[in-house]
Amino acid sequence: MTTAQELVDHVRRIGAEPQTIELKSAEHGCPASVCETMSAFANGQGGTLLLGVDDSGQCVDIDAPTVAKTLAQRAADDMEPAIRAEVSIEIVDEHHRVVRMDVPEVPPSQK
């Protein structure tokens, strides 16, 4: 599996987020826009959501455990169908904690 560090490095190299990677700073907590992103990934080909990294690929300090918990709750409670994906915390740039969720594509019958 590709690490969060490798994904962030890829975004930095190409200078933009590819279709399957979404970066969100989450500097002030888990942003409301994560539901829109999870829906787009689930109804597309899936993708990886990284919280704690801004659009330019720079890491920001976040309360990773709280952001991770809120993200998991939104995926389970606010999405239809619920998104059951693992939420993890990874280290990027040697000391920044980043929250990661790999959103799977939902079956066509659920789109």
Side-chain angles (χ1 to χ4, degrees):
M1 179 197 307
T2 306
T3 67
Q5 181 70 64
E6 291 167 331
L7 295 173
V8 170
D9 288 345
H10 176 67
V11 169
R12 289 171 177 163
R13 259 192 317 279
I14 64 173
E17 297 168 318
Q19 190 173 4
T20 58
I21 301 172
E22 180 71 21
L23 307 177
K24 296 196 179 287
S25 73
E27 194 171 15
H28 303 290
C30 189
S33 62
V34 296
C35 290
E36 182 180 323
T37 301
M38 288 187 288
S39 178
F41 283 159
N43 287 304
Q45 298 176 347
T48 300
L49 180 58
L50 296 174
L51 304 176
V53 185
D54 69 17
D55 289 337
S56 69
Q58 296 304 306
C59 293
V60 296
D61 290 327
I62 62 169
D63 179 356
T66 300
V67 170
K69 181 179 178 182
T70 303
L71 179 61
Q73 286 175 330
R74 288 189 178 161
D77 299 340
D78 298 346
M79 303 300 298
E80 183 60 43
I83 293 179
R84 306 286 182 210
E86 182 179 343
V87 176
S88 60
I89 298 173
E90 295 186 34
I91 302 298
V92 173
D93 293 347
E94 299 181 13
H95 65 276
H96 289 283
R97 295 188 305 170
V98 172
V99 175
R100 176 184 183 150
M101 175 186 267
D102 292 306
V103 180
E105 178 181 4
V106 297
S109 63
Q110 295 182 349
K111 291 184 181 182

